[in-house]
Amino acid sequence: MRTYRELFRVPEFRPLFLATAAQVAAGTVNGLALGTLVYSATGSPLLAALSLFGPSFAQMLGATTLLSMADRVPPRAALVSVKLFLCAGSVTMALPGMPIWAMFVVIGLMGLAGSMGGGVRWGLLGEILPDGGYLLGRSVMNMSVGAMQISGFALGGALLAVVAPRQVLLIGAGLHLGAALVARFGLPRRPPRASGRPSVRRTWQVNATLWATPARRYVYLALWLPNGLVVGCEALFIPYAPESAGVLFVAGALGMLAGDTIVGRFVPARWRQRLVTPLQLSLGLPYLLFALPIPLSVAALAVAVASAGFGAGVLLQQRLVDLTPVQMRGQALGLHSSGMLTMQAVSAALAGTVAEHLPVGAAMTVMAVLSLLVTLLLRPGLRTPADPRTRTREPARP
């Protein structure tokens, strides 16, 4: 599978693509509304960052308790249930008089549900596409994330100029409901990929197997750490430019869209693994400029260039798929998604804490330097050739 036309000819890909796009748009609109609401109420960069990425903190709890469901429940039912839960959570946060602390409780519960939903979604993507199609499919999904973030931040920014943040949350709830309807009536019923009942014990067993292989371990660390630290920079966009944060968010989404398009469609296979480290270095380098007093136009350009480096994640995800038996892929990809989002939340908290003591631009530079250092430390492990037997020698345990 090498073209977008071939990809969209796969019947199940289209509704999965649309449902995912609607969910991303909902999360983007909600995140901007929550960040604005919390920052205006508290004036705290830390709390504003946590409101944007707070759901990700619950991802690690989900990764250690719920992930075995990713391969052991019917995919359509699981995806619809998660999207309806996110809709209900958005409505709850929009209730008049909802205190900030209660919002954070709801944010955590939404993140817990999302941890399982990510594993189901990406496992289903790998199941419906033919061999060799995952990289193109995931790059297109990531492109839709960029497009929906551009639309979501633009829509959210425009709405916040005329209505209250809590009303914007209701619009996010409507988008979550739309995603649930698309999944329910667009996706056919499929049986679970693996047998057995999901449980906390089973989640731990498969996670241990996934983590035991050094090649996979380095891939996971490379997927989680450099990207997550740079997301800490993004978590400070609102305190960095309170009146123009939407411009920076849109620039980041445009850069990510461009990076995923180039990596997924135009980079030859023989170059892909060689580009992982250069792309990850490009994530942090442009943010070094934020130590200086730069105009908004330069800041937006730097953010766009940096975000193109997120294309390295698509290459690493394909490597993870190649290293993992099919009956474990849902949980493997769910562990990647949960770990990535957890690291983003940790980095957002770290960046917010640093920004409590340093100028916001300097705090963003600190996070960028950490990302660069981690990328260089992980480079030797990623250069280790993958064992071609890894994919088949680890059958799922009963």
Side-chain angles (χ1 to χ4, degrees):
M1 179 171 288
R2 303 178 64 181
T3 67
Y4 297 138
R5 181 175 296 178
E6 291 176 320
L7 182 65
F8 280 94
R9 282 177 179 167
V10 178
E12 291 178 74
F13 180 79
R14 295 190 294 270
L16 183 62
F17 174 86
L18 291 173
T20 301
Q23 183 172 330
V24 171
T28 302
V29 168
N30 282 354
L32 188 57
L34 282 170
T36 302
L37 180 64
V38 171
Y39 189 66
S40 63
T42 65
S44 169
L46 174 59
L47 292 178
L50 290 178
S51 66
L52 278 168
F53 296 97
S56 302
F57 269 119
Q59 292 278 341
M60 187 52 66
L61 178 59
T64 56
T65 56
L66 300 178
L67 268 188
S68 62
M69 298 177 67
D71 295 304
R72 291 170 177 78
V73 294
R76 185 180 70 178
L79 290 175
V80 172
S81 298
V82 168
K83 296 176 195 308
L84 289 176
F85 185 85
L86 296 177
C87 174
S90 299
V91 171
T92 301
M93 289 189 293
L95 293 175
M98 173 70 71
I100 299 297
W101 67 264
M103 285 187 173
F104 276 101
V105 172
V106 176
I107 287 171
L109 293 174
M110 292 170 71
L112 189 62
S115 67
M116 188 269 290
V120 174
R121 179 169 59 252
W122 304 129
L124 179 60
L125 178 65
E127 186 178 0
I128 65 178
L129 296 180
D131 286 344
Y134 182 84
L135 189 146
L136 182 63
R138 187 61 192 263
S139 72
V140 169
M141 286 290 198
N142 287 358
M143 289 161 57
S144 77
V145 170
M148 288 302 101
Q149 285 182 344
I150 294 168
S151 304
F153 284 127
L155 175 62
L159 289 171
L160 287 170
V162 294
V163 299
R166 293 181 192 273
Q167 292 173 297
V168 177
L169 288 172
L170 291 176
I171 296 173
L175 290 170
H176 279 306
L177 178 60
L181 293 174
V182 170
R184 172 61 183 83
F185 296 105
L187 292 172
R189 296 180 62 182
R190 274 182 175 265
R193 281 179 296 278
S195 60
R197 297 181 61 182
S199 66
V200 174
R201 179 173 176 269
R202 181 60 182 150
T203 298
W204 276 90
Q205 285 178 337
V206 177
N207 283 350
T209 300
L210 292 169
W211 192 250
T213 304
R216 274 198 299 257
R217 192 157 59 240
Y218 273 102
V219 170
Y220 274 126
L221 291 173
L223 281 165
W224 296 342
L225 298 178
N227 299 10
L229 290 165
V230 166
V231 170
C233 300
E234 298 179 356
L236 297 177
F237 284 172
I238 292 176
Y240 179 80
E243 303 299 325
S244 306
V247 173
L248 298 180
F249 281 120
V250 169
L254 281 170
M256 186 174 69
L257 176 61
D260 285 326
T261 302
I262 293 169
V263 168
R265 182 65 179 85
F266 299 108
V267 173
R270 65 182 183 278
W271 291 1
R272 287 171 181 168
Q273 292 309 311
R274 299 177 190 175
L275 287 177
V276 169
T277 297
L279 284 169
Q280 292 200 306
L281 288 173
S282 73
L283 283 166
L285 284 171
Y287 280 104
L288 299 181
L289 292 174
F290 283 77
L292 306 173
I294 56 177
L296 180 65
S297 59
V298 176
L301 179 61
V303 169
V305 172
S307 297
F310 284 115
V314 180
L315 302 177
L316 289 166
Q317 288 165 49
Q318 179 63 62
R319 186 174 175 86
L320 179 62
V321 169
D322 293 340
L323 288 168
T324 306
V326 64
Q327 60 268 54
M328 299 167 63
R329 283 185 191 164
Q331 185 160 339
L333 293 166
L335 182 61
H336 145 59
S337 180
S338 294
M340 177 187 68
L341 292 172
T342 300
M343 186 60 201
Q344 289 177 1
V346 170
S347 297
L350 176 60
T353 302
V354 174
E356 297 281 352
H357 304 284
L358 295 177
V360 175
M364 295 165 78
T365 301
V366 169
M367 301 303 295
V369 170
L370 291 175
S371 177
L372 293 171
L373 291 175
V374 169
T375 297
L376 294 174
L377 289 172
L378 290 175
R379 185 173 180 236
L382 291 176
R383 295 172 66 183
T384 303
D387 185 342
R389 299 169 297 168
T390 306
R391 196 169 165 182
T392 57
R393 70 183 179 185
E394 296 175 305
R397 299 173 188 170

